[in-house]
């Protein structure tokens, strides 16, 4: 393996290599430094880790995976991780060469052209708005269990009940107001709060794993059990459906790229944190799943398939430790929502700065004191609250929207990996060895680039099909709205049509790029 293949040597480049500064780096890419550059390594890692937020997402989605695949659904977790890691490696290489806010949009346009880049950014903005709303809804699962006073409307906290769905909108809206304020007052406050929250989440994950393993009812071989679904014909298809749980969780690891213009030495830091955020999330999440399966009082009483992790936790922990853990989950929900909204606002800012969105002049303005684009943060917050309103009396529709937004994220990822593969076959990356602000060689896949990229594309295509397949049990579990079964293709078509209407026409891009350069 040559020195330019994975992993890259950590030693300094030759003394003759030009060492750029972060500001000059950005200038060479066609942009001036407007955002405040103050984020370090941990803050960058925290952005990606908190977007994935395993304490939030596995807490919500464990029951989904178990109900379809039984204990053996665990094996979908490492498979999805391997596929997403192929994607993350490609993102890491792009982050090293194009450390710009609005990463997905910027990478896609540099590899596939302006139209491809615009739609990649458009898909991600829509998906992130819905994802932030879905994260905010999770407070309803946690807070009423901590204190009954959080159930402001009615007395039934279940998300599927009218009072629970309405109360979820109230709690989620309050959360989104707080995250909007934090994003508006500056990236320093956002990073401090996010870093503290991620530390709490990591401590919570470790504590939860230890609790599970010390209260084990059975050994790790439980993951070989197919459970009740395994007794039915066609188990492999049910197992494939169970993989949606992992697919829903392991997204957003590229958030470090969105904050590149606010990170010190992003050419070095962002590639590392993209890989580390996904890997740490996969490791922690995998241990949580195995631990829960080992510690569950019963695998056959139906509670794991309906209640999921809360059932296991309630069976093991008594107050006050159970309450402490629930508070930690609430913190994870908070920072997850904050991270998603931050990433969305930077993406919107990046596209507006290029004049690619309506009201671009307003959305691209950076407050000189806070160093943040306030208008995108506020607009994202308002849009998220509007999406939350769908949950009032229609929790099934909201659940469907949440599922569909993951399809949009995977499509946006493919709008990066597919054109990147085309450019690799043409010889990308071109030019000599490049270095970061510390004079170190940039992360590169070298000769592994084409096979890793090809695997990322194949994986992405299969996951888009799996996520979009019109399954009534996923998109219309209540059976009340038959059209929801086709929600994924209908929504994608609708987003594309609205995107075509919003696509800037007759206007030259102010920062034109040469494809594949």
């Amino acid at each position: 393996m040559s020195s330019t293949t994975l992993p890259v040597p950590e030693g300094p480049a030759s003394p003759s290599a030009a060492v750029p500064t972060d500001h000059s780096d950005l200038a060479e890419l066609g942009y001036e430094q407007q955002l405040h550059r103050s984020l370090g390594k941990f803050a960058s890692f925290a952005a990606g880790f908190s977007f994935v937020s395993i304490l939030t997402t596995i807490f919500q989605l464990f029951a989904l995976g178990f109900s379809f695949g039984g204990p053996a659904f665990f094996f979908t977790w490492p498979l999805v991780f391997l596929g997403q890691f192929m994607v993350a490696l490609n993102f890491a290489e792009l982050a090293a060469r194009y450390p710009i806010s609005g990463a997905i949009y910027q990478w896609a346009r540099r590899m596939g052209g302006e139209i491809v880049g615009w739609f990649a950014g458009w898909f991600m903005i829509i998906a992130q708005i819905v994802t932030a709303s879905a994260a905010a809804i999770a407070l309803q699962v946690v807070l009423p269990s901590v204190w009954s006073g959080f159930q402001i409307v009615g007395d039934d906290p279940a998300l599927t009940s009218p009072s629970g769905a309405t109360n979820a909108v109230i709690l989620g809206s309050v959360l989104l107001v707080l995250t909007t304020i934090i994003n508006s007052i500056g990236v320093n406050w956002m990073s401090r709060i996010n870093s503290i929250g991620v530390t709490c989440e990591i401590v919570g994950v470790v504590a939860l794993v230890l609790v599970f393993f010390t209260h084990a009812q059975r050994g790790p071989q439980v993951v070989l059990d197919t459970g009740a679904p395994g007794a039915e014909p066609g188990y492999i298809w049910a197992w494939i459906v169970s993989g949606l749980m992992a697919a829903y969780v392991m997204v957003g690891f590229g958030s470090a790229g969105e904050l590149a213009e606010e990170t010190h030495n992003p050419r070095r830091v962002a590639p590392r944190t993209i890989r580390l955020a996904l890997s740490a999330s996969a490791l922690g999440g995998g241990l949580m799943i195995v631990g829960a399966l080992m510690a569950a009082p019963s695998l056959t009483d139906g509670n794991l398939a309906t209640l999921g992790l809360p059932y296991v936790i309630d069976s093991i922990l008594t107050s006050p430790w159970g309450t402490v853990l629930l508070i930690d989950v609430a913190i994870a929900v908070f920072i997850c929502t904050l991270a998603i909204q931050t990433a969305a606002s930077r993406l919107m800012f990046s596209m507006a700065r290029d004049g690619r969105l309506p009201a671009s002049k307003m959305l691209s303005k950076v407050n000189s004191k806070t160093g943040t684009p306030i208008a995108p943060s506020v607009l994202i917050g308002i849009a998220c609250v509007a999406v939350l309103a769908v949950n009032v009396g229609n929790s099934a529709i909201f659940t469907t929207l949440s599922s569909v937004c993951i399809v949009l994220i995977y499509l946006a990822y493919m709008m990066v990996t597919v054109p990147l593969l085309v450019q690799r076959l043409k010889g990308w990356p071109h030019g000599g060895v490049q270095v970061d602000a510390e004079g170190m060689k940039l992360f590169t896949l070298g000769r592994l680039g084409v096979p890793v990229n090809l695997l990322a594309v194949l994986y992405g295509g299969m996951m888009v099909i799996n996520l979009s397949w019109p399954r009534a049990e996923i998109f219309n579990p209540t059976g009340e709205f038959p059209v929801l079964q086709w929600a994924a293709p209908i929504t994608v078509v609708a987003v594309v049509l609205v995107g075509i209407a919003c696509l800037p026409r007759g206007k030259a891009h102010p920062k034109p790029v040469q494809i594949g350069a």
Side-chain angles (χ1 to χ4, degrees), residues 125-295:
I125 287 176
I126 301 298
Q128 286 172 338
I129 288 172
V130 180
T131 305
S133 303
I137 280 285
L139 278 185
Q140 179 64 25
V141 182
V142 183
L143 290 185
S145 299
V146 174
W147 178 48
S148 60
F150 284 115
Q151 185 63 36
I152 302 168
V153 177
D155 54 8
D156 187 351
L159 268 176
T160 53
S161 69
S163 62
T166 302
N167 199 70
V169 174
I170 296 173
L171 295 180
S173 298
V174 172
L175 172 57
L176 286 164
V177 169
L178 290 175
T179 56
T180 300
I181 292 172
I182 293 169
N183 266 316
S184 298
I185 61 178
V187 71
N188 284 331
W189 276 101
M190 184 281 296
S191 65
R192 289 191 191 104
I193 293 171
N194 203 39
S195 296
I196 293 171
V198 164
T199 302
C200 292
E201 180 169 4
I202 292 173
V203 170
V205 169
V206 173
L208 189 58
V209 169
L210 290 175
V211 167
F212 285 160
F213 277 82
T214 54
H215 290 77
Q217 305 283 328
R218 57 196 66 82
Q221 70 275 9
V222 65
V223 299
L224 301 174
D225 182 3
T226 56
E232 301 293 330
Y235 171 74
I236 185 62
W237 299 111
W239 184 79
I240 289 173
V241 178
S242 74
L244 297 183
M245 177 266 188
Y248 289 166
V249 173
M250 283 189 264
V251 294
F253 47 84
S255 293
E258 299 290 355
L259 298 174
E261 291 181 34
E262 295 156 276
T263 304
H264 294 299
N265 195 8
R267 286 187 184 270
R268 185 166 187 78
V269 171
R272 277 185 173 182
T273 53
I274 287 173
R275 291 171 286 153
L276 182 58
L278 178 59
S279 300
S281 298
L283 176 61
L287 291 174
M288 284 175 62
I289 294 171
V290 173
L293 292 171
M294 292 170 60

Side-chain angles (χ1 to χ4, degrees), residues 365-392:
K365 187 176 181 180
V366 175
N367 186 282
S368 58
K369 292 183 179 179
T370 65
T372 54
I374 295 177
S377 298
V378 173
L379 181 57
I380 294 293
I382 293 172
C384 288
V385 172
V387 172
L388 278 183
V390 177
N391 197 59
V392 178

Side-chain angles (χ1 to χ4, degrees), residues 385-412:
V385 172
V387 172
L388 278 183
V390 177
N391 197 59
V392 178
N394 295 284
S395 58
I397 295 177
F398 184 83
T399 301
T400 300
L401 284 176
S402 302
S403 301
V404 168
C405 79
I406 304 297
V407 180
L408 295 176
I409 290 178
Y410 275 80
L411 284 172

Side-chain angles (χ1 to χ4, degrees), residues 24 29 47 120 125 194 243-244 296 324 336 344 347 354 401 423 448 480-481 490:
S24 64
L29 292 168
I125 287 176
N194 203 39
L244 297 183
V324 170
C336 177
L347 174 56
D354 287 352
L401 284 176
Q423 295 306 321
L448 292 177
E480 297 177 20
F481 307 98
I490 290 173

Side-chain angles (χ1 to χ4, degrees), residues 357-493:
L357 295 175
S360 285
K361 186 175 181 180
M362 177 185 69
L363 294 173
S364 62
K365 187 176 181 180
V366 175
N367 186 282
S368 58
K369 292 183 179 179
T370 65
T372 54
I374 295 177
S377 298
V378 173
L379 181 57
I380 294 293
I382 293 172
C384 288
V385 172
V387 172
L388 278 183
V390 177
N391 197 59
V392 178
N394 295 284
S395 58
I397 295 177
F398 184 83
T399 301
T400 300
L401 284 176
S402 302
S403 301
V404 168
C405 79
I406 304 297
V407 180
L408 295 176
I409 290 178
Y410 275 80
L411 284 172
Y413 285 178
M414 288 195 70
M415 296 179 83
V416 175
T417 57
V418 172
L420 175 58
L421 178 60
V422 173
Q423 295 306 321
R424 285 191 192 278
L425 295 174
K426 294 180 180 179
W428 188 92
H430 308 287
V433 176
Q434 292 179 292
V435 296
D436 61 24
E438 296 176 2
M440 310 289 277
K441 291 180 181 178
L442 300 183
F443 173 81
T444 178
L445 292 172
R447 289 179 295 184
L448 292 177
V450 171
V452 168
N453 201 157
L454 179 60
L455 288 173
V457 170
L458 292 175
Y459 162 78
M462 289 188 293
M463 286 307 301
V464 166
I465 294 172
N466 192 23
L467 288 161
S468 305
W469 202 262
R471 300 181 179 97
E473 60 268 39
I474 294 294
F475 294 109
N476 184 31
T478 64
E480 297 177 20
F481 307 98
V483 71
L484 290 183
Q485 186 170 334
W486 299 89
I490 290 173
T491 302
V492 170
V493 170

